Amino acid sequence: MKKILVLLLVILASCATPKKCCGQAFTKDFFKYSTVYGAVNGNNSVSDVDVYSVTNGLETNTVQTPFDYSILFGARKIKRFGYEPKEAFKNGTENSYADGATIGLWEKKVEFLFQAEYKRQEGENYFDQRHMIRYVDEKWLAKVEYLEDGFADVKFFESSQRWRKELDNGVSFNLGVAQRISEPYGYNPLEEWLLSNGNLHYTFLALEEGYTTQFDGQGGVEYFNPSGNSVATSTEVWEAVVIPEMLANYTEKKRNQLPVQWTYSWVAGFDYYKYTKTSWLHAWGSLMPLHYSDDENEFSYYNFNEGQWLDYSGGIIYGHWFNKNLGLFLEGSYNKYWNRTWHGFSVGINYRVF
């Protein structure tokens, strides 16, 4: 997937650059007005939690969660919308919903965002990425994007080529095709282990995965993981703690063994932008109602969902100052792909005292 992503990014950048020669795609003109940044950010995580036990008398264990941090690098060239503030420095934590818009303010100029971040959040480690290149012409646009968000558990590559029609009132419509590469969403590795009554034969699956059991002859049992370490001395702990962890590891392993899946979709969308110093509205959305995947993508969502489903994404940014003192703002985005959702929002009021 990474090789395909790099290749498409280079091709799109080369096509959008004035044709002096192909080698000039990443010259000074391409990076002009861009910002390259790197940052380390950190803060405390959830507070320590005391866990009490009375099995062998009163015992207290303190569960500690290490502090959160992130290390990131990025390069960005996206023209700011009128409502967006100008930062003195970029640290990569800025939450700009406008980056998800289909159309930017620049026409006939390449915009891009490349950012990779390694972070620890609430004791869990993630490696997140977001890469995007966008080119908007008078009557067409092209965009490629790669998103990997560990906290939302979503990862995919998407490219789209669209015809666009811009009206005089700030509205722009677009229609075209999109190509997406993703994990085998919809594939459930546990289906083959389901019994006729709908229950899961989890103990047999655990034994196939290398877990073992040892009976003491007096009704007791002890369970061992594939490394030979004891993980439970009762059926209750085995079913409540060990089995869920085993199932999670098994499904992740089986999905990782499968190749990435292609999906081709029709896409239709709109963008709207109107800005004044006292009021602004920026909205966008895309809808994918029809999809196709060939026989080589046996584990694609297309096959598991019997053909068709509805994917969509969108966002809105609204702000209004009623007078010099009182103002209202609303911003957010919502995405639903392959029946997986990720979203964010912020809404509130400001009152300035003079």
Side-chain angles (χ1 to χ4, degrees), residues 183-189 191 255 258 261 293 297-309:
E183 297 179 359
Y185 294 126
Y187 166 62
N188 183 8
E191 286 186 351
R255 289 193 180 101
L258 297 179
Q261 305 294 305
S293 186
N297 296 277
E298 177 184 357
F299 298 97
S300 69
Y301 194 76
Y302 178 86
N303 292 327
F304 287 106
N305 206 61
E306 298 181 354
Q308 301 304 327
W309 68 98

Side-chain angles (χ1 to χ4, degrees), residues 51-61:
V51 179
Y52 301 97
S53 173
V54 294
T55 303
N56 298 311
L58 179 61
E59 296 180 351
T60 304
N61 293 320

Side-chain angles (χ1 to χ4, degrees), residues 239-257:
E239 294 180 344
V241 179
V242 181
I243 289 298
E245 181 181 358
M246 182 274 297
L247 294 178
N249 294 335
Y250 174 78
T251 55
E252 182 179 5
K253 180 186 71 173
K254 295 296 288 185
R255 289 193 180 101
N256 290 338
Q257 291 175 351

Side-chain angles (χ1 to χ4, degrees), residues 251-272:
T251 55
E252 182 179 5
K253 180 186 71 173
K254 295 296 288 185
R255 289 193 180 101
N256 290 338
Q257 291 175 351
L258 297 179
V260 295
Q261 305 294 305
W262 282 83
T263 304
Y264 308 89
S265 308
W266 285 101
V267 58
F270 79 95
D271 282 73
Y272 176 79

Side-chain angles (χ1 to χ4, degrees), residues 283-295:
W284 63 92
S286 290
L287 186 68
M288 298 183 186
L290 297 173
H291 315 272
Y292 171 76
S293 186
D294 57 33
D295 295 337

